[in-house]
Amino acid sequence: MHIDSYGFGRIRIDGADYGLDVLLLRDRVLSPWWRRAGGHVYAAEDLAPLIALAPEVVCLGTGYFGRVKVQDGAVEAFAAAGSQVVVQRTGRVVEEYNRLVREGRDAMAALHLTC
């Protein structure tokens, strides 16, 4: 998958537009993606689809302004699954995700599109 563009509140992935938070799995985009832990928190339970797939690298986009907090338990769950975690503002993590995919790495992502 390729992220064509990202701007506050919107993202284009393989030519399809999304206006709500997304999970990028190996073969599909999940959107809308609602988090039980809250709108500005990444918890292990909300990232379960990614954790279960145990990608080589998971990219967590913390929003346009970086307001999403990643709970320690989420990072620990990815580490236990053998996944490297990259946490950055969504704009920067989109660039990193695309680079990893271009290099042929097994990368997936959770992206908050606003805040």
Side-chain angles (χ1 to χ4, degrees):
M1 256 184 272
H2 180 265
I3 301 172
D4 305 321
S5 63
Y6 165 70
F8 186 89
R10 65 190 185 327
I11 195 166
R12 177 172 279 191
I13 303 165
D14 289 337
D17 293 320
Y18 300 89
L20 298 170
D21 292 357
V22 297
L23 285 182
L24 277 71
L25 306 179
R26 286 186 183 99
D27 60 350
R28 70 188 185 280
V29 176
L30 294 180
S31 182
W33 166 52
W34 182 251
R35 293 180 301 285
R36 285 180 231 143
H40 294 105
V41 176
Y42 284 154
E45 69 179 312
D46 299 325
L47 297 165
L50 289 172
I51 295 165
L53 292 170
E56 177 186 356
V57 183
V58 64
C59 298
L60 302 179
T62 61
Y64 193 86
F65 299 108
R67 295 204 175 134
V68 173
K69 303 300 177 205
V70 180
Q71 292 183 343
D72 291 340
V75 174
E76 292 164 2
F78 280 116
S83 299
Q84 174 188 348
V85 180
V86 176
V87 179
Q88 297 178 346
R89 290 182 180 195
T90 300
R92 295 199 45 120
V93 92
V94 161
E95 294 171 9
E96 180 67 6
Y97 171 85
N98 281 336
R99 183 187 68 76
L100 291 164
V101 169
R102 270 192 315 273
E103 291 176 356
R105 307 271 302 273
D106 178 30
M108 296 184 207
L111 305 173
H112 182 67
L113 303 185
T114 59
C115 320

